[in-house]
Amino acid sequence: GRRRPSAAQAVLLAASTAITALLYSIYRQKARVARGLEGARKVRLDGDLRAVLLEAPGRCVPYAVIEGVVRSVKDTLSSQFVENCKGVVQRLTLQEHKMVWNRTTHLWNDYEKIIHQRTSTTPFDLVPAEDGAGVTVRVMKPLDAAELGLETVYEKFHPSVQSFTDVISHYISGERPKGIQETEQMLKVGTALTGVGELVLDNATIKLQPPKQGMPYYLSSLDFESLLQKQESSVRFWKLLTVVFGFATCAVLFFLLRKQYRHHRERQHLRQMQEEFRQAQERLTGTEGGEALKNACVVCLSSTKSCVFLECGHVCSCHECYQALPTPKKCPICRQGITRVVPLYNS
């Protein structure tokens, strides 16, 4: 029957195709985000902003870029560890660090896990870097931002104290604690932010909020050009990965098709040989009614027997096939050594 690709080859091809498709979909999504970001409308945080929004359909710019400085509306959040450090977003994180024994590789691997995280926010505005313009933009749902420009203001590692008994039990359990990392991150008052999202005039308040068309919401400490470059480098990375896996998939497919083609050629060649042999038999049996087959050389089946081998006396070969027998020459039927050959004449 037809030879099919092995299960391993089929799995390899399926996995390679699936990974390529997944990478391509990620690349497409990243490219869409970069294109959307590139096409976002850049608006200035100045006295004309309200007029711009009044002219816009529905008093809304669906995807806008605006740059400003963070200012709290009423209250501010104070850092728990740093004096006179005020902010509008505060995130406290406790992260456990430990070593875990890998039974496959027989190595200790680093493992990190967030055991507690608390994020606090207070309402805040973006205001122009130069004071006195009097225009403000209220930032809505800052925690929904894909990139929130938080600054690490405090970080401390508390190593775990271990007794000898603890060390023994850790080796038995395969888990070795290293300690707890304590981190405080803040969005400080006065930080320059690039906001990308939906800009809307709601009564008297201008609001920046998460966009509706599935585009990401940014509140980044990077300027717009740097943010765009970061997205474009991410697009290039995923594109390269997609191309590499695409080539790998094509190589696997080419290898399997080449193997199938070779197998098909071999089968064709075998059928051709079988057909030629059958035709030779038909010629021999058909023309002289079986007499020719009886008198045909047992080696080539095409010429007529023309030699008597002595001492065995067998008549089984034509002269050309006798000449082609390897030395020491032996009778093809009984394998006895040939001492003499007598030509056979058919009357």
Side-chain angles (χ1 to χ4, degrees):
R2 287 185 62 185
R3 186 192 298 171
R4 303 222 180 281
S6 69
Q9 289 168 345
V11 166
L12 179 65
L13 182 62
S16 185
T17 307
I19 291 168
T20 305
L22 176 68
L23 292 173
Y24 180 67
S25 72
I26 294 170
Y27 157 69
R28 283 285 301 272
Q29 195 258 331
K30 297 274 180 190
R32 188 178 73 85
V33 166
R35 276 199 309 273
L37 198 56
E38 213 172 346
R41 184 174 170 185
K42 295 163 195 66
V43 292
R44 290 177 60 81
L45 188 49
D46 57 21
D48 298 333
L49 182 57
R50 194 175 295 275
V52 167
L53 287 166
L54 281 167
E55 287 172 14
R59 296 185 175 186
C60 164
V61 178
Y63 208 42
V65 179
I66 193 155
E67 293 178 351
V69 173
V70 172
R71 190 181 73 184
S72 61
V73 175
K74 283 185 286 188
D75 306 322
T76 54
L77 304 168
S78 299
S79 166
Q80 288 195 6
F81 305 99
V82 184
E83 276 190 56
N84 300 321
C85 181
K86 305 281 186 186
V88 290
V89 179
Q90 180 188 47
R91 181 171 287 160
L92 296 163
T93 308
L94 290 179
Q95 192 176 39
E96 181 188 21
H97 289 251
K98 60 183 176 183
M99 305 285 279
V100 177
W101 178 252
N102 189 318
R103 297 182 198 283
T104 312
T105 59
H106 297 284
L107 294 168
W108 287 95
N109 296 334
D110 282 315
Y111 177 77
E112 296 167 5
K113 181 187 173 188
I114 292 172
I115 50 176
H116 178 73
Q117 190 171 69
R118 191 180 84 237
T119 306
S120 309
T121 63
T122 186
F124 68 96
D125 291 336
L126 286 183
V127 298
E130 309 84 27
D131 287 338
V135 65
T136 63
V137 172
R138 178 68 48 87
V139 177
M140 312 301 291
K141 300 182 180 176
L143 300 184
D144 287 2
E147 191 168 314
L148 183 58
L150 297 180
E151 182 188 333
T152 301
V153 295
Y154 175 83
E155 202 168 18
K156 189 173 181 184
F157 186 72
H158 304 276
S160 56
V161 181
Q162 298 173 15
S163 66
F164 180 72
T165 318
D166 292 335
V167 171
I168 299 296
S169 68
H170 297 153
Y171 271 96
I172 293 166
S173 67
E175 287 191 8
R176 210 164 71 197
K178 285 164 74 178
I180 303 288
Q181 175 107 2
E182 192 174 18
T183 312
E184 184 182 31
Q185 293 169 293
M186 292 192 83
L187 179 58
K188 293 198 284 189
V189 171
T191 304
L193 272 194
T194 301
V196 187
E198 184 180 74
L199 205 58
V200 63
L201 180 61
D202 183 8
N203 295 327
T205 313
I206 301 170
K207 293 179 179 177
L208 179 70
Q209 57 194 28
K212 291 188 175 64
Q213 323 100 315
M215 294 299 288
Y217 181 36
Y218 294 103
L219 293 169
S220 176
S221 53
L222 299 172
D223 61 69
F224 180 67
E225 287 306 315
S226 305
L227 185 62
L228 189 57
Q229 279 172 11
K230 188 178 173 183
Q231 297 308 316
E232 284 172 347
S233 68
S234 169
V235 170
R236 284 194 293 275
F237 170 75
W238 287 103
K239 186 179 185 177
L240 181 66
L241 267 186
T242 306
V243 168
V244 167
F245 271 88
F247 270 120
T249 305
C250 290
V252 170
L253 186 61
F254 174 75
F255 168 75
L256 292 179
L257 289 174
R258 189 159 149 261
K259 207 170 174 186
Q260 290 290 98
Y261 175 71
R262 279 185 169 176
H263 180 61
H264 172 68
R265 285 291 300 272
E266 281 170 17
R267 283 175 55 79
Q268 238 180 358
H269 185 60
L270 183 64
R271 277 202 298 270
Q272 195 178 340
M273 284 172 64
Q274 286 172 338
E275 183 60 27
E276 283 173 7
F277 183 73
R278 191 182 60 76
Q279 285 175 356
Q281 274 189 323
E282 276 180 5
R283 276 202 308 276
L284 289 167
T285 51
T287 48
E288 283 90 23
E291 202 60 37
L293 185 60
K294 199 164 68 178
N295 293 327
C297 164
V298 297
V299 181
C300 66
L301 285 175
S302 54
S303 301
T304 311
K305 298 171 185 175
S306 60
C307 301
V308 181
F309 297 150
L310 300 175
E311 299 298 324
C312 66
H314 279 123
V315 180
C316 60
S317 161
C318 66
H319 188 67
E320 286 79 5
C321 290
Y322 161 70
Q323 295 282 4
L325 288 174
T327 49
K329 296 188 187 297
K330 292 182 179 177
C331 170
I333 291 178
C334 66
R335 312 303 297 154
Q336 194 175 324
I338 301 168
T339 54
R340 207 152 58 88
V341 178
V342 177
L344 179 71
Y345 300 103
N346 290 320
S347 55

